[in-house]
C-alpha cells in the first residue's frame, strides 16, 4: 500500500500540538491535495514541496496524492509542516524507508530550491514533541542551537532536503552540533547606583521587586521615572529553569531570540511599548496568533511610560493578565492562550502640559482631572504601590557624600526576601512563589490572619473609603513583603502602616 505517515508539531498560541502527517499515493489524475484544516501558508506548501523535489533531484509522484493532517478537526497554521509532508510523500513512494520516520519529528520550511528555512517556535514545538514520546528531531540547521535546549531529545540539523533524504536512507549522517558564531557580549543592565536621591522611589522599587508587586510612578518629566523602571530588572532574581524555558519559548514564537547560538533567557525580560501601542501589539494577534508586549514581558517587567496617553481599551486589557497571569485571545476561527505573569510599572506626568513643576503648570484643575482619570479605577485598584517622584535637587545630584546602593546590594536583599516567602508558602504546601500571588482570603484566615492591633491602619483606611477590599488584600501582601525584607516572621503594625502608605500614596480621581 502506498501509504506512510510522519510526525510534526503545529503551534496554537503558546502550545505546541503534535500533528500526524498521512500521505497516500493512489491512481488517478496527477494532483496533490492537502486536507486537515490547513491555513493559507500550509495550502501553499504544495507549490514549495513540488519545486523542492524537482530541484533536489527527487522524482515527484505523477499520480493522485492525498496528504492529511491529523487531527483533521484542528486548524493547522504556518509552514513548519513542509519537511514532514515531504518526508511522508517520499516514504509513501518508497523513496525512503518508512521505519526511519518512527519516533522522529520533522520541523522546517522548504524553499523552492530545497533549502531548509528556519521557522519560529521550534522550542515550544519540540517540548510538545518530547511530551508526546518523540526521541529524535530533525530541524533546519539554523534552528539546531535552539532545538538543543530540549535536552532529552536527540536533535539533528540539515540545510537541504537532499541531506534529509540521504539520512533517512542511511547514506549520510546529519549534524548534531549547531555552527558556533562568536556572539557579542550581553549588555550590562542599568544599575541602581546611577539613581541619585529618590529614597522613597528606591524603597518602593525594592518592595516591588521583593514581592512581585505592581508599581505606579507619578512625577514631572526628568524626575527619574523611566530611569527607575529600567533598573527594576537589575534587582530581580534570575529566572529558574522552568521560568527560563517558558520565557525562551515565548521569545522563540515571537522570533526575537538573538544570535545564532541562543541560550535559555535567565534574566527577567523587559518590555516597554510606546504609549501609541495598538491593541494587537499589546495583547497579541496576527495570523498565526503571536504574543504581544504583555506576553513578551512574561516573568519580567512591562513598563508603560506616559500611560494616560495610551488608549483606554489598551490599558484596560491589562486587567485580565494582572489577575490571572495569562491572556486569552479569541478570534472567529481560532483562540489561543499566552502566559502573561508580569510585573507592571506605570509612569505618568501630573498633567498634559508636562510642566517641570507645579508653579510652571498652566493646566486648569478640570483638565488635570480629566488627564489622570484616563486611568480607570479598576486598573489602578490592581496596582499595589503608588509613588510621587519629585525632581531631584541640584545639591543631591552634586553631593559626593552619599553613594547610592548598587543593584547588586539591593538584589541580595530581594533574593533573601523572596527565599523567605517561598519557604513560608512551601511549608504551607502552596505553590505561590511571591507574596503578590497569595489570594487575599488566605491572608485573612488562620493561620495567617493578623490581629486587629496590627492591621488597625489598613482597617481604618477601609472604613474611610480610601481602600477597597482588593486594596486591603494587596496592602496585606505588601506588609508580608516588608516583613520578609526586614527578616521578620510576621508583619507588625509598622509594616502595615508602611504598606498602606505605599498603597494610598496617590489615588486617581473618581
Amino acid at each position: 500500500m502506498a501509504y506512510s505517515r510522519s510526525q510534526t508539531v503545529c503551534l496554537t498560541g503558546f502550545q505546541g500540538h503534535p500533528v500526524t502527517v498521512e500521505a497516500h499515493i493512489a491512481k488517478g489524475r496527477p494532483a496533490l491535495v492537502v486536507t486537515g484544516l490547513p491555513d493559507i501558508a500550509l495550502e501553499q506548501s504544495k507549490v514549495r514541496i513540488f519545486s523542492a523535489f524537482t530541484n533536489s533531484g527527487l522524482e515527484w509522484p505523477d499520480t493522485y496524492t492525498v496528504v492529511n493532517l491529523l487531527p483533521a478537526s484542528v486548524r493547522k497554521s504556518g509552514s513548519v509542516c513542509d519537511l514532514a509532508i515531504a518526508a511522508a510523500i517520499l516514504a509513501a513512494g518508497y523513496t525512503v524507508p518508512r521505519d526511519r520516520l518512527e519516533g522522529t519529528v520533522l520541523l522546517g520550511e522548504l524553499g523552492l530550491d530545497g533549502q531548509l528555512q528556519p521557522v519560529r517556535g521550534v522550542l515550544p514545538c519540540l517540548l510538545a514533541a518530547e511530551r508526546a514520546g518523540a526521541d529524535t528531531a530533525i530541524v533546519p540547521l539554523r534552528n539546531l542551537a535552539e532545538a538543543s535546549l530540549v535536552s532529552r531529545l536527540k536533535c539533528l540539523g540539515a540545510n537541504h532536503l537532499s541531506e534529509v533524504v540521504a539520512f533517512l536512507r542511511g547514506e549520510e549522517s546529519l549534524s548534531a552540533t549547531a555552527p558556533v558564531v562568536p556572539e557579542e557580549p550581553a549588555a550590562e543592565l542599568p544599575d541602581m547606583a546611577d539613581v541619585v536621591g529618590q529614597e522613597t522611589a528606591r524603597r518602593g522599587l525594592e518592595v516591588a521587586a521583593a514581592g512581585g508587586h505592581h508599581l505606579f510612578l507619578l512625577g514631572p518629566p526628568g524626575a527619574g521615572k523611566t530611569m527607575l523602571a529600567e533598573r527594576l530588572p537589575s534587582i530581580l532574581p534570575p529566572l529558574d529553569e522552568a521560568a527560563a524555558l517558558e520565557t525562551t519559548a515565548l521569545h522563540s514564537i515571537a522570533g526575537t531570540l538573538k544570535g545564532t547560538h541562543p541560550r535559555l533567557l535567565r534574566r527577567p525580560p523587559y518590555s516597554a511599548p510606546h504609549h501609541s501601542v495598538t491593541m494587537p501589539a499589546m495583547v497579541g494577534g496576527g495570523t498565526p496568533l503571536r504574543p504581544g508586549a504583555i506576553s513578551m514581558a512574561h516573568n519580567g517587567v512591562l513598563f508603560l511610560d506616559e500611560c494616560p496617553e495610551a488608549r483606554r481599551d489598551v490599558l484596560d486589557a491589562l486587567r485580565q493578565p494582572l489577575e490571572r497571569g495569562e491572556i486569552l485571545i479569541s478570534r472567529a476561527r481560532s483562540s489561543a492562550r499566552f502566559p502573561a505573569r508580569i510585573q507592571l510599572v506605570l509612569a505618568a506626568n501630573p498633567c498634559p502640559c508636562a510642566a517641570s513643576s507645579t508653579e510652571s503648570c498652566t493646566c486648569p484643575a478640570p483638565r488635570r482631572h480629566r488627564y489622570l482619570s484616563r486611568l480607570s479605577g479598576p486598573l489602578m485598584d490592581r496596582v499595589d504601590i503608588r509613588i510621587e517622584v519629585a525632581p531631584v535637587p541640584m545639591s543631591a545630584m552634586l553631593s559626593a557624600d552619599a553613594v547610592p546602593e548598587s543593584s547588586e546590594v539591593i538584589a541580595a536583599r530581594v533574593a533573601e526576601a523572596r527565599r523567605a516567602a517561598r519557604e513560608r508558602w512551601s511549608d504551607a504546601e502552596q505553590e505561590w512563589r511571591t507574596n503578590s500571588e497569595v489570594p487575599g482570603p488566605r491572608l485573612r484566615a488562620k493561620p495567617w490572619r493578623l490581629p486587629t492591633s496590627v492591621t488597625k491602619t489598613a482597617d481604618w483606611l477601609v472604613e474611610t473609603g480610601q481602600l477597597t477590599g482588593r486594596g486591603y488584600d494587596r496592602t496585606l501582601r505588601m506588609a508580608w513583603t516588608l516583613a520578609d525584607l526586614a527578616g521578620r516572621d510576621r508583619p507588625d503594625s509598622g509594616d502595615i502602616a508602611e504598606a498602606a502608605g505605599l498603597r494610598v500614596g496617590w489615588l486617581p480621581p473618581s
Side-chain angles (χ1 to χ4, degrees):
M1 181 177 64
Y3 170 87
S4 184
R5 58 173 60 192
S6 62
Q7 303 296 324
T8 188
V9 181
C10 284
L11 283 172
T12 303
F14 180 66
Q15 296 296 326
H17 297 281
V19 172
T20 299
V21 179
E22 297 181 303
H24 176 60
I25 299 176
K27 294 180 180 180
R29 187 175 60 183
L32 173 60
V33 177
V34 179
T35 65
L37 293 182
D39 69 351
I40 294 177
L42 261 175
E43 185 67 32
Q44 294 174 345
S45 67
K46 296 184 290 187
V47 179
R48 294 192 298 272
I49 295 170
F50 173 79
S51 297
F53 270 54
T54 303
N55 292 313
S56 301
L58 298 170
E59 183 179 352
W60 181 259
D62 194 22
T63 55
Y64 187 76
T65 304
V66 179
V67 171
N68 184 41
L69 308 175
L70 295 175
S73 59
V74 177
R75 183 166 293 278
K76 323 298 187 308
S77 62
S79 56
V80 70
C81 298
D82 285 8
L83 182 58
I85 294 174
I89 293 173
L90 288 167
Y94 304 102
T95 303
V96 300
R98 298 176 190 176
D99 58 353
R100 295 280 287 179
L101 296 177
E102 293 295 328
T104 299
V105 61
L106 300 101
L107 307 176
E109 175 184 325
L110 285 173
L112 299 184
D113 58 354
Q115 292 284 339
L116 277 178
Q117 304 299 322
V119 291
R120 297 185 181 191
V122 165
L123 180 56
C125 283
L126 293 186
L127 289 172
E130 179 192 51
R131 291 192 295 268
D135 51 44
T136 304
I138 299 177
V139 301
L141 193 60
R142 281 179 282 177
N143 285 130
L144 184 56
E146 180 185 339
S148 300
L149 296 176
V150 185
S151 57
R152 290 183 291 273
L153 269 181
K154 179 183 179 182
C155 297
L156 305 173
N159 273 321
H160 199 276
L161 176 60
S162 58
E163 296 177 14
V164 178
V165 173
F167 170 76
L168 294 175
R169 287 172 174 170
E171 299 170 354
E172 295 181 11
S173 59
L174 293 179
S175 174
T177 305
V180 178
V181 178
E183 302 282 350
E184 294 183 4
E188 292 294 325
L189 293 177
D191 199 289
M192 287 291 291
D194 302 330
V195 181
V196 179
Q198 303 294 7
E199 295 306 318
T200 302
R202 289 173 64 98
R203 174 65 168 172
L205 212 67
E206 181 175 341
V207 174
H213 306 290
H214 308 304
L215 178 67
F216 178 85
L217 301 172
L218 178 73
K225 304 185 297 295
T226 302
M227 190 177 189
L228 286 160
E230 290 175 342
R231 282 151 180 78
L232 179 55
S234 70
I235 61 176
L236 293 174
L239 302 181
D240 60 26
E241 191 73 19
L245 200 59
E246 196 174 47
T247 303
T248 308
L250 270 170
H251 285 255
S252 171
I253 296 170
T256 58
L257 286 182
K258 296 181 179 179
T260 57
H261 205 79
R263 295 176 174 83
L264 287 180
L265 301 178
R266 295 290 184 179
R267 288 179 172 176
Y270 177 79
S271 179
H274 191 261
H275 58 72
S276 62
V277 62
T278 63
M279 179 70 81
M282 177 64 81
V283 304
T287 305
L289 292 174
R290 288 177 182 160
I294 297 176
S295 294
M296 294 304 290
H298 178 59
N299 289 321
V301 177
L302 176 67
F303 175 51
L304 292 181
D305 200 5
E306 310 289 351
C307 57
E309 302 288 347
R311 286 170 37 184
R312 180 75 173 259
D313 59 337
V314 172
L315 290 174
D316 285 341
L318 296 168
R319 288 155 55 180
Q320 181 193 50
L322 292 184
E323 287 291 329
R324 300 183 182 178
E326 65 175 11
I327 190 159
L328 173 64
I329 304 173
S330 297
R331 297 290 183 265
R333 295 186 176 182
S334 61
S335 63
R337 292 181 185 272
F338 289 105
R341 191 178 299 108
I342 61 173
Q343 194 160 356
L344 179 65
V345 180
L346 299 174
N349 298 317
C351 62
C353 77
S356 58
S357 65
T358 54
E359 291 78 12
S360 57
C361 176
T362 59
C363 298
R367 188 181 182 194
R368 294 165 62 95
H369 178 95
R370 286 194 302 271
Y371 182 72
L372 292 177
S373 62
R374 294 178 185 176
L375 304 174
S376 67
L379 172 62
M380 292 306 301
D381 202 31
R382 290 167 167 82
V383 178
D384 305 332
I385 302 173
R386 296 98 178 269
I387 293 177
E388 291 196 39
V389 183
V392 180
M394 184 59 66
S395 58
M397 294 179 65
L398 299 179
S399 174
D401 297 333
V403 179
E405 283 186 321
S406 67
S407 292
E408 183 179 2
V409 174
I410 300 173
R413 291 198 298 267
V414 168
E416 183 60 25
R418 287 209 175 195
R419 183 197 61 77
R422 189 167 55 251
E423 288 184 357
R424 175 173 59 251
W425 305 126
S426 177
D427 291 343
E429 298 182 352
Q430 301 295 337
E431 296 181 357
W432 306 315
R433 300 176 301 173
T434 61
N435 292 321
S436 63
E437 299 176 18
V438 183
R442 297 301 297 271
L443 292 179
R444 289 183 272 109
K446 293 181 179 180
W448 313 112
R449 183 183 181 90
L450 301 174
T452 54
S453 59
V454 172
T455 62
K456 57 184 178 182
T457 301
D459 297 342
W460 178 79
L461 288 172
V462 173
E463 291 295 332
T464 56
Q466 297 182 68
L467 272 183
T468 62
R470 182 189 286 118
Y472 182 83
D473 289 340
R474 291 182 177 272
T475 300
L476 293 180
R477 295 169 184 164
M478 279 193 290
W480 281 94
T481 299
L482 290 166
D484 291 335
L485 282 169
R488 289 189 289 271
D489 292 336
R490 297 176 74 84
D492 59 18
S493 57
D495 295 325
I496 291 288
E498 184 178 359
L502 292 171
R503 172 73 187 182
V504 299
W506 176 80
L507 290 174
S510 58

